[in-house]
Amino acid sequence: MGPDDLKRLFSTLTPCRARAEPGMTPTVVFLLFLRPENWHVLMIQKTDTVGYPWANQVALPGGHVDANDASPLAAAWRELEEETGITAAEVDVFGSLGHFPTIANKDIEVFAGFWRRPRPLQVATAEIARVLELDLRATLTWHRDQGFSGRLPPLGELAYPVDDTRVWGATARVLHCVCEHLGANGTML
């Protein structure tokens, strides 16, 4: 499956979640696909900063929507460049996967896209400890083998391995959504 096929697939999907409740803090992330010869997803691991609510968590690049952001997508672009140095000129956007409310009263809108030419990143080291690449084929296998297909497991159960750590919480729900869409479409990566 090439980038155009992946874009076509994601552009036709129904968003995974409905809009969150009023009063939630709007946030955005980018689900970036790379390496079409063996699809991967760009992940970041947050720093181990004392008092930082997301310390050591594996996440997708992103952050809060600021009042001066023209749109949620503009906020996603800003956050992506601030955290990784990846610019809008390097990414083909597929669209929004929808909204993922969190237990921390955040409304995360997820934008998906293809990072055309992976390169060394300019990581915001005050916030990001390291960059990870999640193997999508291995993630789909894990999803199936753990019995996640066709059901949304509770937060304590839903997790995906990446390198020497795991993805859990809202980011795991995003990956679950992606795996469900790819599996429901019989997609072989």
Side-chain angles (χ1 to χ4, degrees):
M1 169 183 289
D4 289 339
D5 299 318
L6 196 61
K7 183 175 184 174
R8 218 175 353 270
L9 174 66
F10 276 94
S11 69
T12 63
L13 296 177
T14 303
C16 296
R17 292 277 188 192
R19 191 167 285 284
E21 295 297 319
M24 295 188 112
T25 303
T27 59
V28 290
V29 296
F30 248 114
L31 176 73
L32 285 184
F33 294 92
L34 63 149
R35 307 197 195 292
E37 65 280 359
N38 181 21
W39 285 110
H40 283 71
V41 172
L42 181 77
M43 310 288 293
I44 56 172
Q45 185 169 18
K46 299 291 190 168
T47 58
D48 186 14
T49 304
V50 176
Y52 185 50
W54 298 280
N56 287 318
Q57 289 188 23
V58 176
L60 299 168
H64 291 100
V65 176
D66 292 342
N68 59 344
D69 289 320
S71 66
L73 181 57
W77 285 125
R78 177 184 51 73
E79 286 286 346
L80 180 65
E81 189 167 357
E82 286 174 5
E83 291 186 353
T84 67
I86 298 172
T87 66
E90 299 175 76
V91 177
D92 292 329
V93 176
F94 299 162
S96 174
L97 292 182
H99 294 257
F100 293 77
T102 74
I103 60 174
N105 205 34
K106 309 287 185 197
D107 169 21
I108 303 172
E109 184 169 6
V110 179
F111 292 96
F114 169 51
W115 184 23
R116 289 187 301 275
R117 289 180 208 90
R119 58 171 175 74
L121 297 176
Q122 301 155 346
V123 177
T125 56
E127 190 176 347
I128 299 170
R130 65 180 173 158
V131 175
L132 304 164
E133 291 186 14
L134 179 117
D135 182 315
L136 195 52
R137 185 175 289 132
T139 301
L140 284 165
T141 300
W142 175 268
H143 181 84
R144 193 173 36 253
D145 291 351
Q146 296 301 305
F148 295 164
S149 297
R151 70 183 183 92
L152 181 58
L155 286 178
E157 179 185 352
L158 185 63
Y160 295 91
V162 58
D163 290 354
D164 60 349
T165 188
R166 66 190 182 101
V167 180
W168 57 278
T171 305
R173 287 197 344 251
V174 172
L175 291 178
H176 181 275
C177 175
V178 169
C179 289
E180 287 293 289
H181 281 318
L182 291 174
N185 285 283
T187 304
M188 297 300 293
L189 296 174

